[in-house]
Amino acid sequence: MSLTWTHEIESSVSAPRLFKAALADWHNLGPKLAPHIIVSSSPVQGDGRAGSIREFKFTSAMPFSHIKERLDFVDHEKFECKQTVVEGGGIGVTIESISTHIKLEPNSKGGCVCKVVQTCKLLPGVKAEDEEAMTKETATSIIKTAEAYLLANPNAYL
């Protein structure tokens, strides 16, 4: 069964800063801000452009030990990217494939709206509602954690 869901997350931080912190540099910032979830992360291949792969290793707080995600598309000017999980993260256990398209759109208040569209193909017997709830919660947590850091550190990621 295939599932596509959309999710919007409001932020008071500008799109350029949030894109840099929560998406482009999350492999560096994430382990510092969420050590209770992310043990470590590192680039596996590439330099942050399309085709690059990075790996995140997790604590027991997550239902899986790691993910490797490939950056399929990135536009730093439009604050948009698409990534696909290529290993871990439930691949082969609950999910056959999963990709996420993220776009940060500036709003009139100086902040932005993070629009997330995720498409996954579930393995037989997996409840779509469970996967959707977990991934929406994860996306919101990443954005809100980066937002809190940026609000507390106004000179970071300028």
Side-chain angles (χ1 to χ4, degrees):
M1 170 190 353
S2 290
L3 166 73
T4 298
W5 59 262
T6 59
H7 186 51
E8 291 189 5
I9 307 156
E10 295 273 342
S11 176
S12 59
V13 173
S14 70
R17 290 183 70 215
L18 192 58
F19 185 83
K20 289 175 193 171
L23 298 168
D25 197 43
W26 188 245
H27 61 283
N28 288 314
L29 191 58
K32 295 173 188 170
L33 300 183
H36 58 290
I37 297 172
I38 304 171
V39 173
S40 65
S41 60
S42 61
V44 173
Q45 172 185 314
D47 59 1
R49 290 186 282 188
S52 296
I53 296 174
R54 60 186 181 179
E55 180 176 26
F56 292 85
K57 294 182 180 178
F58 301 109
T59 68
S60 60
M62 293 295 284
F64 38 82
S65 63
H66 78 286
I67 63 166
K68 285 185 181 176
E69 60 184 21
R70 180 185 62 236
L71 188 60
D72 298 317
F73 165 83
V74 62
D75 187 328
H76 292 275
E77 303 300 317
K78 293 182 180 178
F79 321 115
E80 182 175 10
C81 67
K82 182 180 179 190
Q83 53 203 27
T84 300
V85 174
V86 295
E87 183 181 304
I91 298 291
V93 178
T94 58
I95 299 169
E96 184 176 316
S97 62
I98 187 165
S99 64
T100 307
H101 178 243
I102 303 167
K103 183 170 177 67
L104 278 65
E105 296 182 353
N107 64 25
S108 61
K109 302 175 214 164
C112 64
V113 177
C114 177
K115 296 185 176 187
V116 181
V117 178
Q118 188 167 74
T119 303
C120 64
K121 187 169 184 182
L122 302 175
L123 292 174
V126 176
K127 292 184 179 181
E129 303 81 23
D130 296 342
E131 290 300 317
E132 181 177 350
M134 184 181 78
T135 53
K136 282 183 177 181
E137 181 181 324
T138 300
T140 301
S141 177
I142 291 169
I143 296 300
K144 291 302 181 180
T145 298
E147 176 187 56
Y149 172 79
L150 293 170
L151 291 172
N153 297 276
N155 293 321
Y157 293 95
L158 293 176

Coordinates of all heavy atoms in Angstrom, one line a residue, residues 41-92:
S41 N 26.0 11.5 13.5 CA 25.6 11.6 12.1 C 26.8 12.0 11.3 O 27.7 12.7 11.8 CB 24.5 12.5 11.9 OG 24.8 13.8 12.3
S42 N 26.9 11.6 10.0 CA 28.0 12.0 9.2 C 27.6 11.9 7.7 O 26.8 11.0 7.3 CB 29.2 11.1 9.5 OG 28.9 9.8 9.2
P43 N 28.3 12.6 6.9 CA 28.2 12.4 5.4 C 28.8 11.1 5.1 O 29.9 10.8 5.6 CB 29.0 13.6 4.8 CG 29.2 14.6 5.9 CD 29.2 13.8 7.2
V44 N 28.2 10.4 4.2 CA 28.7 9.1 3.7 C 29.3 9.3 2.3 O 30.3 8.7 2.0 CB 27.6 8.0 3.7 CG1 28.1 6.7 3.1 CG2 27.1 7.8 5.1
Q45 N 28.7 10.1 1.6 CA 29.1 10.3 0.2 C 28.6 11.7 -0.3 O 27.5 12.2 0.1 CB 28.4 9.3 -0.7 CG 28.5 9.4 -2.2 CD 27.7 8.3 -2.9 OE1 27.8 7.2 -2.5 NE2 27.0 8.8 -3.9
G46 N 29.5 12.4 -1.0 CA 29.1 13.7 -1.6 C 29.4 14.9 -0.7 O 29.9 14.8 0.4
D47 N 29.0 16.0 -1.2 CA 29.3 17.3 -0.5 C 28.0 18.2 -0.3 O 28.1 19.4 -0.2 CB 30.2 18.1 -1.4 CG 29.7 18.4 -2.8 OD1 28.5 18.0 -3.1 OD2 30.4 19.0 -3.6
G48 N 26.9 17.5 -0.1 CA 25.7 18.3 0.2 C 24.8 18.6 -1.0 O 23.8 19.2 -0.9
R49 N 25.3 18.3 -2.2 CA 24.5 18.5 -3.4 C 23.7 17.2 -3.7 O 23.9 16.2 -3.1 CB 25.5 18.8 -4.6 CG 26.1 20.2 -4.4 CD 26.9 20.6 -5.6 NE 28.2 19.9 -5.6 CZ 29.1 20.2 -6.4 NH1 29.0 21.1 -7.3 NH2 30.3 19.5 -6.3
A50 N 22.9 17.3 -4.7 CA 22.1 16.1 -5.1 C 23.0 14.9 -5.3 O 24.1 15.0 -5.9 CB 21.3 16.4 -6.4
G51 N 22.5 13.8 -4.8 CA 23.3 12.6 -4.9 C 24.0 12.3 -3.6 O 24.5 11.1 -3.4
S52 N 24.2 13.3 -2.7 CA 24.9 13.1 -1.4 C 24.1 12.1 -0.5 O 22.9 12.1 -0.6 CB 25.1 14.4 -0.7 OG 26.0 15.2 -1.5
I53 N 24.8 11.4 0.3 CA 24.2 10.5 1.3 C 24.7 10.8 2.6 O 26.0 11.0 2.8 CB 24.5 9.0 0.9 CG1 23.8 8.7 -0.4 CG2 23.9 8.1 2.0 CD1 24.1 7.3 -0.9
R54 N 23.9 10.9 3.6 CA 24.3 11.1 5.0 C 23.6 10.0 5.9 O 22.5 9.6 5.6 CB 24.1 12.5 5.5 CG 22.7 12.9 5.5 CD 22.6 14.4 5.9 NE 21.2 14.8 5.9 CZ 20.8 16.1 6.2 NH1 21.7 17.0 6.5 NH2 19.5 16.4 6.2
E55 N 24.3 9.7 7.0 CA 23.8 8.6 7.9 C 23.6 9.2 9.3 O 24.4 10.0 9.8 CB 24.8 7.5 8.0 CG 24.3 6.4 8.9 CD 25.3 5.2 8.9 OE1 26.5 5.3 8.6 OE2 24.8 4.1 9.2
F56 N 22.5 8.8 9.9 CA 22.2 9.2 11.3 C 22.1 7.9 12.1 O 21.4 7.0 11.6 CB 20.8 9.9 11.4 CG 20.8 11.3 10.7 CD1 20.6 11.4 9.4 CD2 21.1 12.4 11.5 CE1 20.6 12.7 8.8 CE2 21.1 13.7 10.9 CZ 20.9 13.8 9.6
K57 N 22.7 7.9 13.2 CA 22.6 6.7 14.2 C 21.9 7.2 15.4 O 22.1 8.3 15.9 CB 24.0 6.2 14.5 CG 24.8 5.7 13.3 CD 26.1 5.1 13.7 CE 26.8 4.6 12.4 NZ 28.1 4.0 12.7
F58 N 20.9 6.4 15.8 CA 20.0 6.8 16.9 C 20.2 6.0 18.2 O 20.7 4.8 18.2 CB 18.6 6.6 16.4 CG 18.3 7.3 15.1 CD1 18.1 6.7 13.9 CD2 18.1 8.7 15.2 CE1 17.8 7.4 12.8 CE2 17.9 9.5 14.0 CZ 17.7 8.8 12.8
T59 N 19.7 6.6 19.3 CA 19.6 5.9 20.5 C 18.4 5.0 20.5 O 17.6 4.9 19.5 CB 19.4 6.9 21.7 OG1 18.1 7.5 21.6 CG2 20.5 8.0 21.7
S60 N 18.1 4.3 21.6 CA 17.0 3.4 21.7 C 15.7 4.1 21.8 O 14.6 3.5 21.8 CB 17.2 2.5 23.0 OG 17.2 3.3 24.1
A61 N 15.7 5.5 21.8 CA 14.5 6.3 21.7 C 13.8 6.1 20.4 O 12.6 6.4 20.3 CB 14.8 7.7 22.0
M62 N 14.5 5.7 19.4 CA 13.9 5.5 18.1 C 13.6 4.0 17.8 O 14.3 3.2 18.4 CB 14.8 6.0 17.0 CG 15.0 7.5 17.0 SD 13.5 8.4 16.6 CE 13.4 8.2 14.9
P63 N 12.7 3.7 17.0 CA 12.3 2.3 16.7 C 13.3 1.6 15.8 O 13.2 0.4 15.5 CB 10.9 2.3 16.1 CG 10.8 3.7 15.5 CD 11.7 4.6 16.4
F64 N 14.3 2.3 15.3 CA 15.4 1.7 14.5 C 16.7 2.4 14.8 O 16.8 3.4 15.4 CB 15.0 1.9 13.0 CG 14.4 3.3 12.7 CD1 15.2 4.4 12.5 CD2 13.0 3.4 12.5 CE1 14.6 5.6 12.2 CE2 12.4 4.6 12.3 CZ 13.2 5.7 12.1
S65 N 17.8 1.7 14.5 CA 19.1 2.1 14.9 C 19.8 3.2 14.0 O 20.6 4.0 14.5 CB 20.1 0.9 15.0 OG 20.2 0.3 13.7
H66 N 19.4 3.3 12.8 CA 20.0 4.2 11.9 C 19.2 4.4 10.6 O 18.3 3.7 10.3 CB 21.4 3.8 11.5 CG 21.4 2.7 10.4 ND1 21.1 1.4 10.7 CD2 21.7 2.8 9.1 CE1 21.1 0.7 9.6 NE2 21.5 1.5 8.6
I67 N 19.5 5.5 9.9 CA 19.0 5.7 8.5 C 20.2 6.2 7.7 O 21.1 6.9 8.2 CB 17.8 6.7 8.4 CG1 18.2 8.1 8.9 CG2 16.6 6.1 9.1 CD1 17.2 9.1 8.5
K68 N 20.1 5.9 6.4 CA 20.9 6.6 5.4 C 20.0 7.2 4.5 O 19.0 6.6 4.0 CB 21.8 5.6 4.7 CG 23.0 5.1 5.5 CD 23.9 4.2 4.7 CE 25.1 3.8 5.5 NZ 26.0 2.8 4.8
E69 N 20.2 8.5 4.2 CA 19.3 9.2 3.3 C 20.1 9.9 2.2 O 21.1 10.4 2.4 CB 18.4 10.3 4.1 CG 19.2 11.3 4.8 CD 18.4 12.3 5.6 OE1 17.2 12.0 6.0 OE2 18.9 13.4 5.8
R70 N 19.5 9.8 1.0 CA 20.1 10.3 -0.2 C 19.4 11.6 -0.5 O 18.2 11.7 -0.5 CB 20.0 9.4 -1.4 CG 20.6 9.9 -2.7 CD 20.4 9.0 -3.8 NE 18.9 8.9 -4.1 CZ 18.3 7.7 -4.1 NH1 18.9 6.6 -3.9 NH2 17.0 7.7 -4.4
L71 N 20.1 12.7 -0.8 CA 19.6 13.9 -1.2 C 19.3 13.9 -2.7 O 20.3 13.8 -3.5 CB 20.6 15.1 -0.9 CG 20.1 16.5 -1.1 CD1 18.8 16.8 -0.2 CD2 21.2 17.5 -0.7
D72 N 18.1 13.8 -3.1 CA 17.7 13.7 -4.5 C 17.7 15.0 -5.2 O 18.0 15.1 -6.4 CB 16.4 13.0 -4.7 CG 16.3 11.6 -4.1 OD1 17.3 10.9 -4.3 OD2 15.3 11.3 -3.4
F73 N 17.4 16.1 -4.5 CA 17.2 17.4 -5.1 C 17.4 18.4 -4.0 O 17.0 18.2 -2.9 CB 15.8 17.5 -5.7 CG 15.4 18.9 -6.0 CD1 15.8 19.5 -7.2 CD2 14.6 19.7 -5.1 CE1 15.4 20.8 -7.5 CE2 14.3 20.9 -5.4 CZ 14.6 21.5 -6.6
V74 N 18.1 19.5 -4.3 CA 18.3 20.6 -3.3 C 18.3 21.9 -4.1 O 19.0 22.0 -5.1 CB 19.5 20.4 -2.4 CG1 20.8 20.4 -3.1 CG2 19.5 21.4 -1.2
D75 N 17.6 22.9 -3.5 CA 17.6 24.2 -4.1 C 17.8 25.2 -2.9 O 16.8 25.4 -2.2 CB 16.4 24.6 -4.9 CG 16.4 25.9 -5.6 OD1 17.1 26.8 -5.1 OD2 15.8 26.0 -6.7
H76 N 19.0 25.7 -2.6 CA 19.2 26.5 -1.5 C 18.6 27.9 -1.6 O 18.4 28.6 -0.7 CB 20.8 26.7 -1.3 CG 21.4 25.4 -0.8 ND1 21.4 25.0 0.5 CD2 22.0 24.4 -1.6 CE1 22.1 23.8 0.6 NE2 22.4 23.5 -0.7
E77 N 18.3 28.3 -2.9 CA 17.7 29.6 -3.1 C 16.2 29.6 -2.9 O 15.6 30.5 -2.4 CB 17.9 30.1 -4.5 CG 19.4 30.2 -4.9 CD 20.2 31.2 -4.0 OE1 19.6 32.3 -3.8 OE2 21.3 30.8 -3.6
K78 N 15.5 28.4 -3.1 CA 14.1 28.3 -2.9 C 13.8 27.5 -1.6 O 12.6 27.2 -1.4 CB 13.5 27.6 -4.1 CG 13.5 28.4 -5.4 CD 12.9 27.7 -6.6 CE 12.9 28.5 -7.8 NZ 12.3 27.8 -9.0
F79 N 14.8 27.2 -0.9 CA 14.7 26.5 0.4 C 13.8 25.2 0.3 O 12.9 25.0 1.0 CB 14.0 27.4 1.5 CG 14.6 28.8 1.4 CD1 13.7 29.9 1.0 CD2 15.9 29.1 1.6 CE1 14.2 31.1 0.9 CE2 16.4 30.4 1.5 CZ 15.5 31.4 1.1
E80 N 14.3 24.3 -0.6 CA 13.5 23.2 -1.0 C 14.5 22.0 -1.2 O 15.6 22.1 -1.7 CB 12.8 23.5 -2.3 CG 11.9 22.4 -2.8 CD 11.1 22.8 -4.0 OE1 11.4 23.9 -4.6 OE2 10.2 22.1 -4.4
C81 N 14.1 20.8 -0.8 CA 14.9 19.6 -1.0 C 14.0 18.4 -1.1 O 12.8 18.4 -0.6 CB 16.0 19.4 0.0 SG 15.4 19.1 1.7
K82 N 14.5 17.3 -1.6 CA 13.8 16.0 -1.6 C 14.9 15.0 -1.2 O 16.0 15.0 -1.7 CB 13.2 15.7 -3.0 CG 12.5 14.3 -3.0 CD 11.9 14.0 -4.3 CE 11.2 12.6 -4.2 NZ 10.8 12.1 -5.5
Q83 N 14.5 14.1 -0.3 CA 15.4 13.1 0.1 C 14.7 11.7 0.2 O 13.5 11.7 0.4 CB 16.1 13.4 1.4 CG 15.0 13.7 2.5 CD 15.6 14.6 3.6 OE1 16.5 15.4 3.4 NE2 15.0 14.5 4.8
T84 N 15.5 10.7 0.0 CA 15.0 9.3 0.0 C 15.8 8.5 1.0 O 17.0 8.5 1.0 CB 15.1 8.7 -1.4 OG1 14.3 9.4 -2.3 CG2 14.6 7.2 -1.4
V85 N 15.1 7.7 1.9 CA 15.8 6.8 2.8 C 16.3 5.6 2.0 O 15.4 5.0 1.3 CB 14.9 6.4 4.0 CG1 15.6 5.3 4.8 CG2 14.5 7.6 4.8
V86 N 17.6 5.3 2.0 CA 18.1 4.2 1.2 C 18.5 3.0 2.1 O 18.8 2.0 1.5 CB 19.3 4.7 0.3 CG1 18.8 5.7 -0.7 CG2 20.4 5.3 1.2
E87 N 18.5 3.2 3.4 CA 18.9 2.1 4.3 C 18.4 2.5 5.7 O 18.4 3.6 6.1 CB 20.4 1.9 4.3 CG 20.9 0.8 5.2 CD 22.4 0.7 5.1 OE1 23.0 0.5 4.0 OE2 23.0 0.7 6.2
G88 N 18.0 1.5 6.4 CA 17.5 1.7 7.8 C 16.2 2.3 7.8 O 15.4 2.3 6.9
G89 N 15.8 2.9 9.0 CA 14.6 3.6 9.1 C 13.3 2.8 8.8 O 12.3 3.4 8.4
G90 N 13.4 1.5 9.1 CA 12.2 0.7 8.8 C 12.2 0.1 7.4 O 11.3 -0.7 7.1
I91 N 13.1 0.5 6.6 CA 13.2 -0.1 5.2 C 13.3 -1.6 5.3 O 14.2 -2.1 6.0 CB 14.3 0.5 4.4 CG1 14.1 2.0 4.2 CG2 14.5 -0.2 3.0 CD1 13.0 2.4 3.3
G92 N 12.4 -2.4 4.7 CA 12.5 -3.8 4.7 C 11.8 -4.4 6.0 O 11.6 -5.6 6.0

